[in-house]
């Protein structure tokens, strides 16, 4: 992507004001607003609670797996909220001292371990996890942007991404002469209907050497017993079935239902905080919202990029408007694996901050470094939304939203009052360009 970052002097308020007036954002920069606003939605706090419980069968399982010195490929499966992620974290920490580096294939697009939502990713982990309840973002070795929080919408492209990542891992880390790293595969909790069929496909493709099914007390939610994915004649893996850690030492339930939406929001906030150096204070949503809105974006000519809509079709005439105020995956057509149904590798995410149709420019904010951005020529648009906590901040006009946007939850027009504010009228008068600003 032949882009240039706007200099600090070319602050965003120098962006051309947007048209058409009916859909214009009130202001491309956050400014104090006189109009009353509802309190900003806070980013939900990270999960708190008692320490992770390690039941005896979990300890025996991690001992058995770590004593398998032939670099196991371990797939952990089971119903939603059964403890798969928690178990894989424990296992990762257990394997690290023996191997130094462990592969981790993150396949849960709704609640990924180390990536922002919507991504399937392969990580080569060399540092133990310290917070067993809230793991932090880690840079992926390879990532595919699937663009949704559930594989339901497009199981085929989901599986293609997963197979691609696994093949990449095998070719790079498990071929003769390579390190032969062990691999942990964490799977989604959707294990009924199509979700079950997809798990079977996954198991057949990956052929793990060890499978760890986790059982809950609700029998009807569990996977079938035995090697349900084998058709006969294949090499049988070791199966180590464990029970969900449903009771802690205080006899309270350990399985706290997770706030998936909150976790996704925190992940995105954490991801876009990487746009700033760590010495900038971004303790609150407001600080982050201001900082993001003030960050000089990259200017990207339309001619340098192609938009790929992953989960919908968009008329040609609407393509550029459709990416406005959205989160996109950044990818390169040159770095697309030469396989059938190839999915381009994603180098990171960006927020399309504004679109100037007349000048043919997109304005993009991203923490991805310039070196990686050089080759980006694909914008992958899915259904991952900008966090509400960054969209609505008390005391400033949202720079990411047009006045005709409706609140999904309340169904009310957002910022309708801004249409009549002196600030937006002033912007109306300035309008001379085709920019659609977020
Ligand atoms: N051994 C444990 N000790 C304490 N808490 C646990 C334990 N196992 C699971 N939990 C808690 O139960 C909840 C679900 O756990 P976890 O995220 O590991 O499940 P999961 O099977 O990966 O869920 P999903 O399929 O929805 O991603 C979390 O709040 C987690 O902290």
């Amino acid at each position: 992507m032949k882009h240039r970052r706007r200099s600090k002097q070319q602050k965003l308020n120098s962006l051309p004001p947007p048209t058409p007036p009916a859909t214009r954002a009130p202001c491309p920069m956050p400014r104090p607003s006189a109009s009353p606003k509802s309190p900003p939605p806070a980013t939900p706090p990270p999960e708190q609670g008692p320490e992770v419980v390690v039941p005896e069968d979990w300890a025996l399982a991690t001992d058995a797996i770590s004593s398998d010195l032939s670099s196991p490929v371990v797939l952990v499966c089971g119903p939603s909220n059964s403890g798969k992620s928690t178990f894989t974290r424990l296992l990762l920490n257990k394997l690290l001292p023996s191997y130094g580096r462990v592969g981790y294939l993150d396949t849960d697009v709704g609640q990924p371990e180390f990536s922002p939502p919507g991504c399937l990713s392969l990580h080569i982990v060399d540092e133990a996890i310290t917070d067993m309840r809230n793991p932090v973002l880690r840079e992926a070795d390879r990532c595919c942007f699937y663009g949704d929080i559930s594989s339901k919408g497009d199981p085929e492209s989901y599986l293609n991404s997963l197979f691609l990542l696994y093949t990449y891992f095998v070719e790079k880390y498990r071929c003769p002469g390579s390190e032969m790293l062990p691999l942990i595969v964490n799977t989604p909790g959707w294990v009924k209907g199509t979700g079950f069929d997809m798990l079977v496909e996954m198991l057949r493709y990956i052929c793990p050497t060890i499978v760890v099914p986790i059982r809950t007390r609700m029998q009807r939610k569990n996977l079938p017993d035995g090697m349900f994915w084998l058709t006969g004649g294949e090499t049988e893996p070791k199966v180590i079935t464990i029970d969900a850690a449903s009771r802690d030492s205080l006899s309270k339930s350990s399985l706290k239902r997770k706030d998936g939406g909150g976790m996704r929001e925190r992940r995105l906030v954490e991801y876009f905080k990487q746009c700033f150096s760590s010495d900038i204070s971004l303790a609150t949503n407001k600080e982050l919202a201001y900082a993001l809105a003030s960050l000089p974006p990259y200017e990207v000519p339309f001619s340098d990029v192609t938009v790929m809509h992953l989960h919908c079709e968009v008329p040609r005439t609407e393509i550029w408007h459709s990416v406005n105020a959205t989160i996109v995956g950044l990818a390169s057509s040159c770095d697309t694996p030469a396989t059938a149904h190839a999915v381009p590798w994603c180098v990171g995410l960006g927020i399309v901050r504004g679109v100037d149709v007349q000048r043919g420019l997109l304005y993009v904010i991203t923490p991805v470094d310039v070196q990686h951005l050089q080759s980006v020529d694909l914008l992958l648009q899915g259904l991952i939304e900008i966090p509400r906590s960054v969209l609505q901040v008390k005391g400033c006009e949202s720079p990411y939203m047009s006045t005709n946007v409706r609140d999904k939850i309340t169904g009310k027009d957002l910022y309708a009052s801004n249409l009549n504010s002196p600030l937006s009228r002033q912007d109306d008068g300035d309008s001379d360009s085709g920019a659609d600003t977020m």
Side-chain angles (χ1 to χ4, degrees):
M1 155 160 120
K2 283 190 225 96
H3 48 257
R4 62 194 163 89
R5 191 156 219 162
R6 293 169 71 84
S7 67
K8 296 272 181 209
Q9 289 73 36
Q10 283 179 293
K11 287 278 176 156
L12 288 185
N13 52 4
S14 68
L15 283 180
T19 57
T23 60
R24 183 175 306 153
C27 170
M29 278 288 285
R31 297 188 196 165
S33 162
S35 55
K37 291 260 168 60
S38 54
T43 311
E47 194 179 327
Q48 303 291 334
E51 274 309 292
V52 162
V53 177
V54 185
E56 196 183 350
D57 59 346
W58 285 36
L60 290 173
T62 53
D63 283 350
I65 296 167
S66 61
S67 60
D68 178 339
L69 295 178
S70 57
S71 293
V73 173
V74 188
L75 185 143
V76 182
C77 51
S80 189
N81 223 44
S82 57
K84 297 180 295 298
S85 304
T86 309
F87 180 79
T88 58
R89 290 170 207 152
L90 287 167
L91 181 60
L92 187 64
N93 283 357
K94 187 84 183 179
L95 291 174
L96 272 175
S98 311
Y99 292 96
R101 303 202 302 163
V102 175
Y104 191 100
L105 186 49
D106 207 353
T107 69
D108 190 346
V109 285
Q111 292 162 33
E113 278 296 280
F114 304 128
S115 301
C119 298
L120 292 102
S121 53
L122 171 73
H123 298 261
I124 305 301
V125 183
D126 57 6
E127 262 178 39
I129 297 175
T130 46
D131 184 344
M132 297 301 276
R133 284 183 172 270
N134 303 293
V136 291
L137 286 173
R138 291 183 189 227
E139 197 174 336
D141 186 315
R142 280 288 183 271
C143 171
C144 294
F145 185 64
Y146 169 74
D148 198 357
I149 57 168
S150 162
S151 54
K152 269 181 198 159
D154 191 350
E156 193 182 337
S157 95
Y158 170 86
L159 285 175
N160 283 339
S161 298
L162 196 153
F163 297 163
L164 194 69
L165 286 163
Y166 179 68
T167 307
Y168 168 86
F169 175 78
V170 171
E171 286 174 356
K172 186 160 177 197
Y173 298 105
R174 285 182 75 88
C175 62
S178 75
E179 281 172 274
M180 291 300 285
L181 294 187
L183 178 70
I184 297 171
V185 185
N186 189 10
T187 58
W190 183 30
V191 294
K192 296 291 170 188
T194 309
F196 176 78
D197 297 340
M198 288 165 72
L199 179 64
V200 167
E201 295 269 330
M202 246 185 253
L203 281 155
R204 288 184 184 158
Y205 192 91
I206 293 175
C207 298
T209 57
I210 302 177
V211 178
V212 183
I214 305 188
R215 268 189 321 230
T216 66
R217 290 177 175 191
M218 297 179 75
Q219 192 52 42
R220 65 186 171 80
K221 290 197 166 180
N222 290 338
L223 285 161
D225 291 336
M227 298 181 216
F228 53 86
W229 63 97
L230 296 185
T231 50
E234 303 101 322
T235 311
E236 292 192 359
K238 192 188 277 185
V239 177
I240 306 176
T241 304
I242 57 174
D243 288 326
S246 56
R247 298 275 155 190
D248 64 16
S249 52
L250 299 171
S251 290
K252 287 184 184 157
S253 175
S254 301
L255 296 178
K256 220 173 123 212
R257 184 144 287 283
K258 288 186 295 187
D259 168 16
M263 182 190 155
R264 284 188 280 280
E265 186 153 331
R266 282 195 301 279
R267 272 294 147 87
L268 285 169
V269 164
E270 204 185 324
Y271 182 81
F272 284 104
K273 273 186 183 173
Q274 297 177 122
C275 293
F276 307 94
S277 72
S278 53
D279 51 353
I280 295 181
S281 164
L282 296 172
T284 64
N285 296 336
K286 187 171 175 176
E287 283 172 341
L288 177 64
Y290 268 80
L292 278 176
S294 310
L295 186 72
Y298 289 100
E299 279 185 355
V300 185
F302 289 178
S303 53
D304 282 359
V305 286
T306 302
V307 177
M308 279 175 74
H309 290 94
L310 302 175
H311 300 290
C312 64
E313 284 181 24
V314 171
R316 281 177 65 86
T317 51
E318 298 301 319
I319 284 180
W320 301 111
H321 290 105
S322 73
V323 289
N324 190 25
T326 63
I327 289 182
V328 289
L330 306 173
S332 161
S333 56
C334 307
D335 194 17
T336 301
T339 56
H341 313 296
V343 185
W345 297 127
C346 173
V347 295
L349 304 187
I351 294 177
V352 181
R353 165 77 173 74
V355 180
D356 186 336
V357 176
Q358 272 189 3
R359 293 174 65 210
L361 291 175
L362 298 168
Y363 296 94
V364 179
I365 305 169
T366 177
V368 174
D369 60 71
V370 177
Q371 198 195 336
H372 281 101
L373 284 179
Q374 297 300 335
S375 60
V376 168
D377 60 358
L378 294 174
L379 301 184
L380 312 175
Q381 196 197 26
L383 303 169
I384 305 298
E385 294 177 352
I386 299 174
R388 281 169 60 86
S389 55
V390 177
L391 283 174
Q392 286 176 272
V393 174
K394 194 177 180 183
C396 75
E397 310 285 0
S398 171
Y400 304 103
M401 210 179 272
S402 304
T403 44
N404 63 343
V405 171
R406 288 180 82 79
D407 187 311
K408 275 189 181 169
I409 295 170
T410 63
K412 289 182 185 156
D413 285 331
L414 286 170
Y415 302 106
S417 58
N418 295 332
L419 282 170
N420 302 319
S421 78
L423 192 59
S424 58
R425 278 204 296 275
Q426 178 192 324
D427 285 348
D428 289 355
D430 286 349
S431 174
D432 62 357
S433 130
D436 228 357
T437 325
M438 289 188 286

